[in-house]
Amino acid sequence: MQDTLQRKFYRKEMEVNALLEITQAVNNNLPEDDLYKIYEFTLRANLQLSRMVLYVKDEDWECKVQFGTKKDFSAIPLDSGCLDLKEIVEVNEVDLSISCFNEFDIIIPVTHKEKLLAFVFIKTSEDENRADTTFIQALSNVILVAIENKRLARKQMEQQAIQHEMEIARNVQNYLFPDVLPSSEKLEIKAFYQPCKTVGGDYYDYIPIPNENQFLVCIADVSGKGMPAAILMSNFQAVLRTLSRNAESPEQVIHELNHQTWHNAKGENFITFFLAVYDFDKKNLRYFNCGHNHPILITKDEVLILSEGSTVLGAFDPLPFLDKGEIENVEEFSLFMFTDGLTETFNSVGEEFGDERLKNFLIKNKGMNLQAMHNALMKELEGFKKENSFADDLTFLSCRVNNATP
């Protein structure tokens, strides 16, 4: 009787010391691998377990600790028959489909705040009648909650770092857009930009060419979203700005932009692009549409859909063809450019806003102040999509020219 009490006392003392050692290891912020090693050593040295396996839920169920086993459980998936267990059970009470789990006696589920963290499979030594499963469960809980907290903290830090990088990228991207757009009786431009994520793949620009009494407007959309699209578009803008000062013609600009996009994106991404150059002296508008949504030009007499150009940039090098669109003797007009986030806005029944609805809106409101027209368009889109969200970056630009001879 006294020997039995002494053994029980010794075991409880050992368990308390083991918990203190584990707690100290956790407080010292040891790496996960070290915590698993301490856990294994504690169970092997102090509890006389003949074999044990620990499965932990990470992205999937993985064997993190094993000893004394006949099989290598790191290559064996967790038996799905365990997943509904809430209490400590004997193996022979569970319907297991993987036979190698039958070499254990007991299954111990480990939970925290009703979240299932792990399963411990144990077999006691021959001279032991019963392992202290409550202690094993408590010890496992301390270790695994600490590891789970480390994992969550790591993910939170990673997310914060990514968010910080995205904020920096958004600020950098905002510098890509022109600071000031012209607003005069002769030329007025208004633009709207709303990325789907923190950073987007849409781009628009206005570049005056004062020596030739011309100006360039453009709009572009990179395939994909997020950081990769933003980086590619940043490079695209830098190349365009350089070319617009040095190129001999818009055709040369298009060909070089295509070459640079092909080189930078390695053929994995492409850019839809529309560029237009208006000459105040010649009163003509030259444009190139490279696979982009067709802009809408409204004059006093007609509505034109601007489709001439080529295929998307970055898909082929060189471009298979390049056709120039040109509209001559145009003094007064409104040009509306947009990305597909506008026309591909969907309502609750899966109907898209579409090109025809946009065209009718622009014709109906062609005499409206540009900013007021943009506000009305956003109101129209919001009313159309209702509770749906915008699934893509949303960008549009209006350019109004009044170049009539006094």
Side-chain angles (χ1 to χ4, degrees):
M1 178 69 175
Q2 186 175 359
D3 290 342
T4 301
L5 289 174
Q6 285 179 342
R7 284 197 300 272
K8 288 183 177 180
F9 176 79
Y10 173 76
R11 170 168 287 184
K12 291 300 178 185
E13 184 179 35
M14 176 274 299
E15 290 176 356
V16 170
N17 289 335
L19 283 171
L20 288 174
E21 290 174 6
I22 290 291
T23 303
Q24 185 176 10
V26 170
N27 290 338
N28 288 336
N29 199 29
L30 294 181
E32 292 179 23
D33 289 344
D34 289 350
L35 292 178
Y36 282 128
K37 290 176 182 177
I38 294 171
Y39 173 78
E40 177 184 351
F41 175 79
T42 300
L43 294 183
R44 296 185 71 170
N46 299 326
L47 296 185
Q48 292 89 41
L49 299 178
S50 62
R51 66 184 66 119
M52 188 276 287
V53 163
L54 171 69
Y55 276 87
V56 178
K57 184 71 165 68
D58 197 347
E59 296 298 326
D60 201 354
W61 287 99
E62 297 181 18
C63 177
K64 296 292 188 179
V65 178
Q66 61 178 321
F67 62 80
T69 57
K70 299 175 182 178
K71 299 277 189 178
D72 178 10
F73 280 82
S74 63
I76 299 173
L78 176 68
D79 196 303
S80 59
C82 303
L83 296 178
D84 293 329
L85 297 180
K86 305 295 182 183
E87 305 291 340
I88 299 171
V89 296
E90 295 185 4
V91 170
N92 57 19
E93 297 176 1
V94 183
D95 184 17
L96 298 177
S97 59
I98 303 177
S99 60
C100 57
F101 285 97
N102 292 321
E103 64 178 273
F104 302 100
D105 294 330
I106 298 170
I107 305 173
I108 305 171
V110 182
T111 61
H112 179 64
K113 295 181 179 179
E114 300 184 354
K115 181 181 180 181
L116 193 56
L117 300 181
F119 288 100
V120 186
F121 297 80
I122 64 171
K123 184 174 180 61
T124 57
S125 301
E126 297 297 330
D127 59 348
E128 286 288 317
N129 294 324
R130 185 174 181 275
D132 189 343
T133 54
T134 302
F135 170 71
I136 296 174
Q137 191 175 46
L139 185 71
S140 303
N141 188 272
V142 171
I143 285 286
L144 292 167
V145 168
I147 290 174
E148 177 74 2
N149 288 338
K150 288 169 70 70
R151 187 181 298 123
L152 291 174
R154 184 168 60 248
K155 287 183 178 180
Q156 184 177 17
M157 291 179 64
E158 290 172 354
Q159 290 173 353
Q160 288 174 346
I162 292 172
Q163 185 63 32
H164 180 63
E165 291 177 359
M166 294 291 278
E167 290 293 337
I168 293 174
R170 182 177 67 178
N171 291 335
V172 171
Q173 188 181 39
N174 286 338
Y175 290 124
L176 301 181
F177 300 111
D179 290 333
V180 179
L181 293 173
S183 180
S184 66
E185 184 177 346
K186 188 175 183 179
L187 173 62
E188 181 182 11
I189 297 177
K190 294 291 183 182
F192 177 88
Y193 171 65
Q194 178 178 286
C196 181
K197 297 184 177 181
T198 305
V199 293
D202 285 1
Y203 164 65
Y204 68 86
D205 212 341
Y206 157 76
I207 303 174
I209 311 173
N211 292 340
E212 300 180 27
N213 200 21
Q214 301 173 353
F215 70 88
L216 178 155
V217 286
C218 65
I219 193 166
D221 186 1
V222 179
S223 61
K225 300 180 180 68
M227 187 73 75
I231 293 173
L232 182 58
M233 190 57 78
S234 299
N235 182 271
F236 184 86
Q237 185 258 15
V239 174
L240 172 62
R241 287 280 176 132
T242 301
L243 290 172
S244 64
R245 291 192 297 267
N246 301 316
E248 295 180 358
S249 65
E251 289 90 339
Q252 184 181 355
V253 171
I254 297 293
H255 283 297
E256 186 60 30
L257 284 172
N258 178 71
H259 174 74
Q260 291 295 332
T261 303
W262 168 265
H263 175 75
N264 292 328
K266 311 300 182 186
E268 296 179 1
N269 294 86
F270 59 84
I271 298 178
T272 67
F273 181 59
F274 176 85
L275 175 149
V277 176
Y278 182 72
D279 189 313
F280 283 100
D281 295 332
K282 296 180 180 178
K283 298 183 179 181
N284 75 331
L285 181 76
R286 292 168 291 163
Y287 73 87
F288 298 90
N289 190 331
C290 300
H292 196 77
N293 301 86
H294 300 163
I296 300 171
L297 183 79
I298 302 178
T299 70
K300 292 186 298 184
D301 305 317
E302 57 185 342
V303 177
L304 300 174
I305 305 301
L306 307 187
S307 59
E308 295 295 324
S310 186
T311 186
V312 297
L313 302 183
F316 306 95
D317 189 31
L319 285 171
F321 64 93
L322 181 60
D323 299 324
K324 179 177 68 174
E326 186 164 9
I327 303 166
E328 298 180 333
N329 299 317
V330 56
E331 296 180 331
E332 299 179 42
F333 63 87
S334 292
L335 173 63
F336 185 84
M337 306 182 295
F338 61 98
T339 59
D340 56 10
L342 195 163
T343 50
E344 293 178 9
T345 295
F346 290 88
N347 62 16
S348 58
V349 296
E351 179 187 9
E352 70 175 16
F353 191 76
D355 294 317
E356 194 63 28
R357 189 178 276 107
L358 173 62
K359 177 182 173 182
N360 292 336
F361 173 87
L362 293 174
I363 294 173
K364 178 181 177 182
N365 297 282
K366 64 180 181 179
M368 187 180 291
N369 170 274
L370 290 186
Q371 187 59 61
M373 190 267 285
H374 282 194
N375 294 341
L377 178 56
M378 282 304 301
K379 185 176 180 181
E380 186 89 359
L381 287 171
E382 293 288 350
F384 177 79
K385 72 178 185 64
K386 292 185 171 30
E387 69 277 2
N388 284 3
S389 58
F390 290 107
D392 201 352
D393 303 332
L394 182 62
T395 306
F396 47 86
L397 180 147
S398 295
C399 172
R400 183 170 290 168
V401 169
N402 183 2
N403 191 32
T405 303

